[in-house]
Amino acid sequence: TKTFSLKSDAESWVLETELNLARGNYNSQGQDQTLGDILSRYAQDVTPNKRGAEQETFRIGKLLRNPITDIKLSELKAVDIVKYRDQRLYEVTPTSVLKELILLNHSLDTAKKEWGVNLQINPLHDVRRPKPNPQRDRRLDVQEFKKLLVSCLEERAYWFYPLIIFAIETGMRRGEIFELRWQDINFQKRTAFLPLTKNGSSRSIPLSLKAIDTLQSLPRDISGVVFPVSKTALRGLWLRACKRAKTEDFRFHDLRHEATSRFFEKGLNVMEVAAITGHRDLRMLQRYTHLRAEDLAVKLG
């Protein structure tokens, strides 16, 4: 609705509005919003409720600095998304571009379904998405692993070396390790309880004797957190340790990959490994189970 002083102006507005409705260019909220407006609201209303809120907030911030977010929804076309996609593929990995497109798609779908934004067609639906990066299969050989551990021991931070050992022994995600509290560890049952994981559910993790010894060697921080460390501090220490050990192309998350592969090499079956790692989709374990051919040869006899 809209009010006019002259009937002729009102009639002209009605005709224009009906024409825009027919073309799918009319916004039911009475505002010709931009893609940036939708992303900003998404960051405020939707993102904070997600487990990966920090990473998504950072991703939205980068998107908002791109000229594509200045385009009005009434003018946003699939060709604009394609141009953005191809430009970004020159700058970042296909997986990063895929995550950005998924975010854009969900934000527009949310605006249409829940916020009353008149968007007849989501242009993301007509855009081909890039294939994700090839799955990583980087594993450490025995000598590489020894050099890396020696390098980690050289750091003054008392928690750094134990954290690396604990990650290898449990296969826990970095975020799960950071959130682990002493009250959630049962030394008698040798378990660690995670109230909320990446999948949105809780799980208990069995702890090896080495993991238990590692925990018992740590002092108790007043915060109650087992490893009182920030992501930034860990990143810096990890990069320095890898550089000293001359360990190339090995990320902290690869420790989870290494740990999961070792679980299989110890003889655990798929369901047992999934219970430890928290994978709901058993097919996802394939990216972690790169067993060494020489070890399999011994089993074959």
Side-chain angles (χ1 to χ4, degrees):
T1 60
K2 197 170 183 179
T3 303
F4 297 89
S5 300
L6 299 176
K7 181 180 179 180
S8 58
D9 291 339
E11 290 174 341
S12 298
W13 178 80
V14 168
L15 290 174
E16 182 181 357
T17 301
E18 289 178 341
L19 182 59
N20 284 329
L21 280 170
R23 292 175 175 173
N25 295 335
Y26 182 74
N27 189 298
S28 60
Q29 294 183 351
Q31 301 174 7
D32 205 355
Q33 300 182 85
T34 65
L35 179 58
D37 295 330
I38 299 301
L39 279 174
S40 296
R41 180 173 177 182
Y42 189 91
Q44 180 179 350
D45 296 352
V46 181
T47 300
N49 300 319
K50 296 185 178 182
R51 287 283 294 163
E54 182 180 350
Q55 295 90 335
E56 186 166 281
T57 298
F58 176 78
R59 186 171 292 117
I60 291 176
K62 293 192 68 175
L63 277 165
L64 289 173
R65 292 192 290 272
N66 192 285
I68 193 176
T69 57
D70 296 328
I71 300 177
K72 296 179 180 180
L73 294 182
S74 60
E75 301 172 357
L76 185 64
K77 307 298 180 185
V79 66
D80 299 314
I81 306 298
V82 170
K83 182 179 178 181
Y84 170 80
R85 177 201 65 195
D86 294 345
Q87 171 199 344
R88 291 292 287 157
L89 285 173
Y90 281 106
E91 302 169 348
V92 296
T93 64
T95 296
S96 297
V97 178
L98 178 60
K99 290 179 179 179
E100 291 173 0
L101 294 182
I102 291 174
L103 174 59
L104 288 171
N105 179 67
H106 192 251
S107 63
L108 290 177
D109 278 346
T110 301
K112 178 181 178 181
K113 297 176 182 178
E114 299 185 12
W115 301 341
V117 174
N118 192 303
L119 185 68
Q120 291 192 354
I121 299 177
N122 183 341
L124 268 298
H125 294 174
D126 298 326
V127 176
R128 178 178 54 82
R129 298 179 181 180
K131 294 182 179 180
N133 304 340
Q135 296 177 352
R136 289 178 59 82
D137 59 359
R138 177 73 164 97
R139 293 195 62 190
L140 295 173
D141 60 37
V142 175
Q143 292 303 318
E144 280 184 311
F145 185 58
K146 287 182 179 179
K147 288 181 180 179
L148 181 59
L149 290 184
V150 170
S151 180
C152 292
L153 273 171
E154 294 177 8
E155 290 292 344
R156 294 183 179 181
Y158 70 87
W159 46 263
F160 183 54
Y161 177 78
L163 189 151
I164 302 303
I165 297 298
F166 190 76
I168 283 284
E169 290 296 312
T170 63
M172 290 171 61
R173 300 179 179 92
R174 182 185 62 177
E176 293 171 344
I177 295 176
F178 283 168
E179 295 176 4
L180 187 63
R181 305 182 68 84
W182 287 110
Q183 65 187 30
D184 296 323
I185 296 175
N186 190 317
F187 285 97
Q188 292 182 339
K189 295 182 178 181
R190 285 170 49 193
T191 60
F193 178 69
L194 303 178
L196 186 62
T197 66
K198 180 181 178 181
N199 295 328
S201 59
S202 61
R203 82 174 188 273
S204 291
I205 298 177
L207 301 176
S208 66
L209 292 174
K210 191 170 185 178
I212 289 292
D213 291 341
T214 299
L215 291 175
Q216 290 177 335
S217 69
L218 290 170
R220 302 291 181 95
D221 189 79
I222 192 172
S223 66
V225 177
V226 177
F227 295 98
V229 53
S230 67
K231 294 179 181 179
T232 302
L234 175 60
R235 185 182 300 112
L237 291 171
W238 176 256
L239 291 175
R240 286 201 300 269
C242 288
K243 185 176 181 179
R244 281 195 303 268
K246 297 182 180 180
T247 304
E248 299 180 355
D249 188 33
F250 193 74
R251 307 169 185 171
F252 183 85
H253 187 72
D254 290 333
L255 293 176
R256 174 170 164 84
H257 173 103
E258 178 72 22
T260 310
S261 297
R262 293 186 181 192
F263 292 151
F264 279 99
E265 291 169 348
K266 289 180 179 180
L268 276 66
N269 61 44
V270 174
M271 295 304 297
E272 290 171 333
V273 174
I276 299 174
T277 61
H279 286 92
R280 288 185 174 181
D281 187 348
L282 300 184
R283 292 173 299 179
M284 290 294 293
L285 283 173
Q286 293 178 1
R287 65 175 298 193
Y288 294 104
T289 55
H290 298 279
L291 309 183
R292 292 188 176 95
E294 56 267 32
D295 296 331
L296 295 177
V298 174
K299 287 189 175 183
L300 290 175

